[in-house]
Amino acid sequence: MARKVEKMASIDAQLRQLAPAKVSEDDKLVEYDALLLDRFLDILQDLHGEDLRETVQECYELSAEYEGKHDPKKLEELGNVLTSLDPGDSIVVAKSFSHMLSLANLAEEVQIAYRRRIKSKKGDFADENSATTESDIEETLKRLVGELKKSPEEVFDALKNQTVDLVLTAHPTQSVRRSLLQKHGRIRDCLAQLYAKDITPDYKQELDEALQREIQAAFRTDEIRRTAPTPQDEMRAGMSYFHETIWNGVPKFLRRVDTALKNIGIKKRVPYNAPLIQFSSWMGGDRDGNPRVTPEVTRDVCLLARMMAANMYFSQIEDLMFELSMWRCSDELRVRSDELHRSSRKDAKHYIEFWKQIPPNEPYRVILGNVRDKLYNTRERSRSLLSHGISDIPEESTYTNVGQFLEPLELCYRSLCACGDRPIADGSLLDFLRQVSTFGLSLVRLDIRQESDRHTDVMDAITKHLEIGSYREWSEERRQEWLLSELSGKRPLFGSDLPKTEEIADVLDTFHVIAELPPDCFGAYIISMATSPSDVLAVELLQRECHIKQPLRVVPLFEKLADLEAAPAAVARLFSIEWYRNQINGKQEVMIGYSDSGKDAGRLSAAWALYKAQEELVKVAKQNGVKLTMFHGRGGTVGRGGGPTHLAILSQPPDTTHGSLRVTVQGEVIEQSFGEEHLCFRTLQRFTAATLEHGMHPPISPKPEWRALLDEMAVVATEEYRSIVFKEPRFVEYFRLATPELEYGRMNIGSRPSKRKPSGGIESLRAIPWIFAWTQTRFHLPVWLGFGAAFQHVIQKDIKNLHMLQEMYNAWPFFRVSIDLVEMVFAKGDPGIAALYDKLLVSEELWPFGERLRGNYDQTKNLLLQIARHKDLLEGDPYLKQRLTLRDSYITTLSVCQAYTLKRIRDPNYHVKLRPHISKEYMESTSKTAAELVKLNPTSDYAPGLEDTLILTMKGIAAGMQNTG
């Protein structure tokens, strides 16, 4: 018995020894983490018995010992323990570690929120270089007025004219199911409340029970998606963030902006129609490489969003009717209310409140009652269009554009102000007006994205049908000439007799859907792989041919290195066309892609190319008197352009935001940005504050000698990156063997395939699986490859360059951000783990290649530290360092488990000796339930239990790295 007790205590003791010391007084992370772990291990023992709990502890201890000395023998010992488990047990163990990592992440979130609360009470943001990672709107306004000597009026003016448009995309990187996200949210709430100061003993006991219940419920939920989501599923998942946090988050945030303005002496509020924050979406509109997004899907998604918006307004309008019970009103409102009162005689029994006719001495309620009727009809009409394709509710009785909806609300607002009731008008009515201005009737604007090649196919079919030649074979000049003559003419190009393949019909039907639905459903039409002006003109012509009354703005997307370099010239050619200049009304949007450029040339060269392309594009736009909006397609991981929002915006070249910014929020980043009320608030605040600061206090321009040095480095880095990734004849083979790339598709994360073309090498692999695979093996190759060679080249050439690089790191935000992000990735990496994958999975003649890459990794890391003048990784960020140390032991177990599972899946001759089944089940009658777990996946191509174990390790590691792709 004594040994047992000692063993039980060991994981906590272990944690306390391993756990880094407190970083500061308010540091409760280790405490939170230990509490959640304790609870979880007790539950594990109750459910699956002591032996299983001991196995989990043994694995944890071996990992922790490995983390201490990085002795590869420990990894083998760990491998032996893991491979001796039978299929059911190995699923339980993988699930346990994956779950413990999720809990560690939750402890971290609670700790971050706790420290932020303490800080804002003290009003002290100084200790954590917080200027670099945090942007509080109040701080920013005070800094602009105080240190940077802007007048409050200037700041107010800039603020109310700026727009941040956040574009939610369904990129397949959110690997956690929504069922689990909700349970995690409740665990987070319980944990935060348990540590509140004024908690009564009874309540503490109830919270503790609730915490245990939620931890157990999450552990007992199947983590694996058994079917791939459809685009409609993705859209519904994305929209769920609106009714959970964003809907109420926006007016709440705008109130905070009002308060911050008051504190710098501005007596006015931000006008409710100032477009500070806008939301757009790609879910159900992005058809690039995703054949499942059909025109019908696009139509469904728009109608569903309209129905949801009407429903949310409808659920709020009665509260507003309760609030506005005043009888004094302006003459203008009185006239309208009397008219409405005369025309409405009947009771409405399908309403809960205010169902009888509203008396004329409550004029605001009369007006709002009419708004309520229209909202009801708007919702029901969308509902029946969605389910039956037709509706018997006439369109006249609904709202068709946002102006009609705003008009009566503005009337109420004006009237209240006129009667001296401005404080009442600035209550819920103002919040409601702000919601209507932000979300409109369509909730979000849907962008459409399509590949330029598909438009060329359509044009080709048209020119062949008209018997004037093959558009595809024409030169760019010839194409432009023909497109422009058609655009300036009036005749229709083709009728219903145009011979169409399925692909062509799909493109044209998409344009017809855009023509059929209300214009406020849509945002931009984005052309991926765009290279020349004809790509843009072709879309303009197709919009006209399909009778789109208000054409969508057409946005070229430049991604690959060569395209980025050619982008400024292409855009300049576009602006030189007179027809086009008249069409765009002085505004143009251009999208730049971060992930494909990184996959194509490596991170360093891609970041620099993106920086230079933006500078050049802004110049071109200025020369032509066009206001340019940059649309940044950045992913969540560093390899795909991710990183802290604030830094990312402030490191953009000067003059590129001009108060208007569009950014994609992808996959798992949506949850990190909007998963909870305080996260949503922080996200809106970061984007708004950083955009304002960038516009009013732009970062410095790099010195000419810095540019020259980076230009030289980028060439070397690209050369090194491509010589390995594209030119090394056996690289693809090595990549497929050394990482779980081939198995990635089984995770069912997204609706789109992981490749653009089924055959093909690295080029056709989507950027997300490419990054995902290297993140799993903790090697992160795409992020750092090329940096080392570039640094070494310039430092060997002249040691003075080292000093110049150090100066660039200190003085130039762009360079600093690029280096810091790579440093963070090194802190998450571990070449020892990558070596284990090689040893188990890669054929022996490729071992030297893997060793060479690992040598390159170490050399790059050391050069990086030299430039940042750090002795250790992350010495500038002790908090992050502590959090990573805490996660490492969990991740290592999962990595080892993954490597050995891949070995068992891929190598039929690899035999392991299984020990007897250890997981006990709670109900003796089903003593075979770890075996039941194996049956959740009856159709696997692999030996029982292996596929599930593999997917659980993938999800666990992704959660631990906090990045999937």
Side-chain angles (χ1 to χ4, degrees):
M1 192 63 204
R3 191 182 147 271
K4 263 185 199 152
V5 174
E6 177 187 88
K7 183 91 183 170
M8 301 291 270
S10 79
I11 198 157
D12 291 346
Q14 199 65 37
L15 240 178
R16 300 217 162 84
Q17 280 166 7
L18 298 167
K22 279 196 171 192
V23 183
S24 63
E25 268 317 291
D26 53 15
D27 179 8
K28 285 201 179 336
L29 180 58
V30 177
E31 208 175 317
Y32 289 154
D33 201 55
L35 174 78
L36 292 179
L37 247 186
D38 267 358
R39 292 290 176 273
F40 172 66
L41 288 169
D42 293 343
I43 290 169
L44 187 65
Q45 179 163 334
D46 290 343
L47 295 175
H48 294 290
E50 229 168 280
D51 294 347
L52 196 94
R53 172 177 171 151
E54 284 187 14
T55 310
V56 166
Q57 277 174 258
E58 186 182 357
C59 294
Y60 181 84
E61 282 164 24
L62 284 166
S63 299
E65 286 170 21
Y66 166 75
E67 289 304 325
K69 302 203 178 56
H70 287 278
D71 169 6
K73 279 203 201 65
K74 289 288 169 213
L75 292 182
E76 258 175 68
E77 277 179 53
L78 184 55
N80 294 335
V81 174
L82 290 167
T83 42
S84 69
L85 299 172
D86 80 349
D89 289 336
S90 82
I91 291 179
V92 175
V93 170
K95 200 168 159 53
S96 300
F97 275 92
S98 182
H99 192 59
M100 292 194 305
L101 253 171
S102 297
L103 293 175
N105 282 344
L106 295 174
E108 229 172 83
E109 284 168 34
V110 174
Q111 157 73 1
I112 291 172
Y114 168 74
R115 285 217 352 271
R116 200 165 268 127
R117 272 200 312 279
I118 285 193
K119 270 214 196 92
S120 55
K121 274 189 201 140
K122 291 185 195 153
D124 142 44
F125 285 87
D127 64 329
E128 198 189 335
N129 316 346
S130 56
T132 54
T133 54
E134 224 6 282
S135 27
D136 179 309
I137 187 83
E138 192 143 334
E139 293 277 296
T140 304
L141 297 187
K142 282 185 178 150
R143 194 164 58 243
L144 288 171
V145 174
E147 294 165 32
L148 305 168
K149 304 292 174 251
K150 308 279 182 206
S151 75
E153 282 66 34
E154 269 178 276
V155 174
F156 181 52
D157 208 50
L159 187 63
K160 66 177 191 221
N161 288 311
Q162 84 172 26
T163 301
V164 174
D165 187 354
L166 302 176
V167 186
L168 308 188
T169 71
H171 280 64
T173 53
Q174 171 52 285
S175 65
V176 186
R177 296 180 54 199
R178 275 169 70 199
S179 317
L180 279 167
L181 288 172
Q182 288 173 353
K183 294 181 175 64
H184 289 167
R186 291 197 288 269
I187 294 173
R188 214 167 15 210
D189 294 345
C190 289
L191 187 59
Q193 286 174 316
L194 262 176
Y195 281 89
K197 290 247 178 342
D198 45 7
I199 179 172
T200 62
D202 290 352
Y203 187 46
K204 186 163 189 169
Q205 201 175 333
E206 286 156 21
L207 274 174
D208 211 25
E209 277 174 26
L211 183 66
Q212 244 162 323
R213 178 167 51 245
E214 294 300 339
I215 293 176
Q216 183 160 340
F219 183 59
R220 298 292 254 188
T221 302
D222 186 8
E223 275 182 63
I224 300 173
R225 285 205 183 99
R226 299 290 169 186
T227 50
T230 63
Q232 284 100 320
D233 290 332
E234 291 180 324
M235 182 269 178
R236 282 177 161 86
M239 292 302 113
S240 69
Y241 290 98
F242 282 85
H243 59 83
E244 276 158 32
T245 64
I246 299 173
W247 188 261
N248 292 321
V250 167
K252 219 179 196 163
F253 166 67
L254 291 169
R255 280 200 179 269
R256 178 61 49 87
V257 176
D258 287 342
T259 308
L261 283 166
K262 225 180 248 159
N263 294 341
I264 58 165
I266 293 283
K267 295 286 177 276
K268 297 195 281 278
R269 293 174 178 274
V270 175
Y272 59 83
N273 51 2
L276 247 63
I277 306 260
Q278 301 280 294
F279 289 93
S280 307
S281 161
W282 278 20
M283 301 177 196
D286 178 9
R287 40 217 357 102
D288 174 14
N290 189 350
R292 297 190 184 110
V293 178
T294 59
E296 185 194 3
V297 165
T298 299
R299 183 175 178 276
D300 283 358
V301 160
C302 287
L303 287 171
L304 185 69
R306 289 184 94 73
M307 184 178 91
M308 286 173 71
N311 191 35
M312 292 206 272
Y313 291 125
F314 182 75
S315 63
Q316 273 172 239
I317 193 95
E318 285 184 354
D319 296 342
L320 200 58
M321 289 169 80
F322 262 113
E323 199 163 311
L324 300 185
S325 50
M326 300 77 221
W327 52 269
R328 290 184 184 80
C329 68
S330 63
D331 298 343
E332 178 191 21
L333 190 125
R334 169 80 59 210
V335 171
R336 172 81 59 89
S337 125
D338 289 347
E339 256 171 55
L340 284 169
H341 189 263
R342 276 197 300 278
S343 64
S344 72
R345 279 278 182 275
K346 56 183 194 319
D347 294 347
K349 293 184 180 173
H350 58 285
Y351 291 139
I352 297 173
E353 303 288 354
F354 304 111
W355 60 281
K356 285 202 178 77
Q357 193 185 8
I358 298 166
N361 62 349
E362 297 185 340
Y364 295 103
R365 288 179 172 176
V366 175
I367 304 269
L368 293 174
N370 180 252
V371 172
R372 176 175 66 169
D373 293 342
K374 285 205 150 165
L375 283 171
Y376 182 83
N377 289 338
T378 307
R379 178 184 71 185
E380 294 309 307
R381 182 177 158 85
S382 296
R383 192 192 302 265
S384 56
L385 284 173
L386 192 57
S387 45
H388 312 299
I390 49 165
S391 170
D392 46 12
I393 296 175
E395 205 170 12
E396 304 69 81
S397 66
T398 65
Y399 285 125
T400 47
N401 67 48
V402 80
Q404 301 167 336
F405 185 11
L406 278 170
E407 194 271 333
L409 299 169
E410 289 170 334
L411 175 62
C412 292
Y413 190 86
R414 282 198 305 276
S415 166
L416 284 165
C417 293
C419 301
D421 286 330
R422 179 175 280 270
I424 300 171
D426 282 339
S428 322
L429 179 59
L430 178 64
D431 286 346
F432 198 79
L433 278 161
R434 282 173 165 173
Q435 282 167 325
V436 178
S437 302
T438 305
F439 303 110
L441 292 170
S442 56
L443 194 59
V444 292
R445 286 178 174 269
L446 186 71
D447 282 1
I448 305 288
R449 176 169 82 142
Q450 181 62 279
E451 245 176 308
S452 58
D453 235 26
R454 301 281 300 271
H455 304 133
T456 307
D457 291 342
V458 177
M459 288 300 163
D460 197 56
I462 292 171
T463 55
K464 282 182 174 153
H465 182 59
L466 295 173
E467 298 178 353
I468 53 177
S470 161
Y471 180 87
R472 190 172 268 298
E473 282 152 25
W474 290 352
S475 69
E476 173 65 16
E477 280 57 49
R478 173 94 197 266
R479 285 180 184 189
Q480 279 186 38
E481 186 188 342
W482 179 73
L483 290 166
L484 285 167
S485 75
E486 287 300 333
L487 280 165
S488 13
K490 284 276 182 280
R491 59 165 196 172
L493 256 188
F494 57 89
S496 50
D497 59 340
L498 178 73
K500 306 186 188 76
T501 61
E502 214 173 296
E503 262 102 18
I504 288 173
D506 188 77
V507 173
L508 291 173
D509 288 346
T510 302
F511 281 102
H512 290 309
V513 166
I514 299 173
E516 168 209 345
L517 290 166
D520 62 352
C521 287
F522 299 101
Y525 193 111
I526 294 157
I527 312 171
S528 54
M529 303 294 172
T531 47
S532 48
S534 65
D535 289 335
V536 174
L537 295 174
V539 174
E540 293 282 10
L541 183 58
L542 285 170
Q543 294 203 78
R544 197 197 72 182
E545 283 303 313
C546 298
H547 312 294
I548 295 175
K549 295 185 216 35
Q550 298 181 15
L552 277 54
R553 58 181 192 278
V554 182
V555 178
L557 158 58
F558 300 103
E559 302 194 78
K560 291 209 159 45
L561 200 61
D563 295 345
L564 283 169
E565 285 164 357
V571 173
R573 288 196 343 252
L574 193 54
F575 289 156
S576 67
I577 299 167
E578 191 186 352
W579 180 90
Y580 186 74
R581 265 210 323 281
N582 297 337
Q583 174 79 5
I584 59 172
N585 200 354
K587 290 197 195 72
Q588 174 69 45
E589 185 178 313
V590 172
M591 180 167 184
I592 50 178
Y594 286 63
S595 41
D596 278 340
S597 50
K599 196 186 76 174
D600 178 46
R603 196 72 223 112
L604 178 68
S605 318
W608 181 228
L610 285 158
Y611 188 92
K612 288 197 298 191
Q614 287 187 68
E615 288 185 312
E616 291 300 314
L617 285 165
V618 168
K619 264 188 212 144
V620 168
K622 262 197 189 138
Q623 286 156 4
N624 289 279
V626 173
K627 180 181 194 280
L628 187 72
T629 296
M630 297 305 291
F631 181 7
H632 301 268
R634 45 197 293 261
T637 47
V638 176
R640 296 183 47 245
T645 305
H646 180 88
L647 294 177
I649 295 175
L650 289 183
S651 65
Q652 298 303 323
D655 277 351
T656 48
T657 62
H658 270 308
S660 66
L661 177 75
R662 269 196 117 199
V663 191
T664 55
V665 185
Q666 303 185 356
E668 83 280 19
V669 186
I670 299 181
E671 171 63 25
Q672 289 157 18
S673 309
F674 298 109
E676 262 194 282
E677 274 186 24
H678 73 265
L679 294 176
C680 169
F681 185 85
R682 214 167 77 206
T683 302
L684 300 178
Q685 171 157 275
R686 276 179 181 168
F687 275 108
T688 305
T691 306
L692 180 69
E693 184 173 342
H694 187 281
M696 296 200 74
H697 177 59
I700 60 166
S701 274
K703 299 180 182 169
E705 61 267 32
W706 296 353
R707 285 176 179 281
L709 191 62
L710 252 186
D711 281 336
E712 190 177 337
M713 280 165 59
V715 172
V716 178
T718 305
E719 179 45 45
E720 162 86 351
Y721 179 87
R722 288 182 175 164
S723 73
I724 288 177
V725 174
F726 296 109
K727 300 191 182 130
E728 180 65 54
R730 300 187 65 179
F731 178 79
V732 175
E733 180 189 354
Y734 173 77
F735 169 59
R736 299 253 146 98
L737 290 171
T739 70
E741 184 258 324
L742 291 169
E743 289 79 7
Y744 162 82
R746 302 184 170 273
M747 278 181 67
N748 282 331
I749 289 186
S751 66
R752 77 177 185 193
S754 59
K755 281 222 164 105
R756 287 178 198 266
K757 303 189 180 64
S759 57
I762 299 291
E763 300 81 45
S764 74
L765 185 68
R766 302 291 308 221
I768 292 170
W770 161 243
I771 302 281
F772 181 88
W774 290 112
T775 309
Q776 290 283 310
T777 63
R778 314 271 299 275
F779 199 48
H780 306 285
L781 178 98
V783 179
W784 55 264
L785 185 61
F787 271 90
F791 290 150
Q792 201 175 8
H793 167 81
V794 296
I795 292 170
Q796 277 175 349
K797 197 168 107 180
D798 183 351
I799 191 67
K800 284 204 200 86
N801 285 337
L802 175 62
H803 301 305
M804 198 191 306
L805 288 167
Q806 289 171 338
E807 177 195 7
M808 285 156 71
Y809 177 79
N810 286 331
W812 183 19
F814 163 77
F815 189 69
R816 181 173 196 125
V817 168
S818 306
I819 299 288
D820 283 351
L821 289 178
V822 178
E823 183 180 1
M824 180 185 77
V825 169
F826 273 126
K828 291 181 175 181
D830 182 351
I833 299 282
L836 176 74
Y837 280 77
D838 277 16
K839 195 177 110 192
L840 290 172
L841 303 168
V842 174
S843 46
E844 236 169 288
E845 71 269 26
L846 284 172
W847 284 1
F849 180 61
E851 274 161 31
R852 193 177 104 212
L853 288 177
R854 286 192 292 282
N856 192 333
Y857 175 101
D858 285 328
Q859 181 196 3
T860 304
K861 182 171 86 176
N862 296 333
L863 285 163
L864 189 88
L865 287 172
Q866 233 177 319
I867 287 164
R869 296 204 180 100
H870 289 170
K871 288 195 288 299
D872 282 325
L873 287 172
L874 292 186
E875 71 176 43
D877 192 345
Y879 287 101
L880 180 61
K881 196 169 175 171
Q882 172 202 37
R883 303 204 301 258
L884 293 178
T885 315
L886 209 52
R887 278 186 235 158
D888 275 344
S889 308
Y890 306 122
I891 301 178
T892 298
T893 305
L894 288 166
S895 297
V896 172
C897 183
Q898 186 180 85
Y900 278 94
T901 306
L902 285 168
K903 174 78 170 166
R904 288 163 77 170
I905 285 175
R906 294 179 188 177
D907 180 356
N909 306 320
Y910 180 67
H911 291 299
V912 289
K913 190 163 150 285
L914 295 182
R915 59 187 202 191
H917 182 68
I918 53 177
S919 161
K920 300 226 183 2
E921 234 348 278
Y922 196 74
M923 293 155 54
E924 283 311 312
S925 59
T926 54
S927 57
K928 56 180 190 305
T929 50
E932 296 282 306
L933 279 169
V934 178
K935 291 189 191 144
L936 280 173
N937 187 353
T939 55
S940 174
D941 313 345
Y942 310 141
L946 291 181
E947 179 172 351
D948 279 12
T949 304
L950 179 69
I951 295 174
L952 287 166
T953 61
M954 286 187 182
K955 287 188 172 245
I957 293 168
M961 292 290 159
Q962 291 200 337
N963 315 92
T964 38

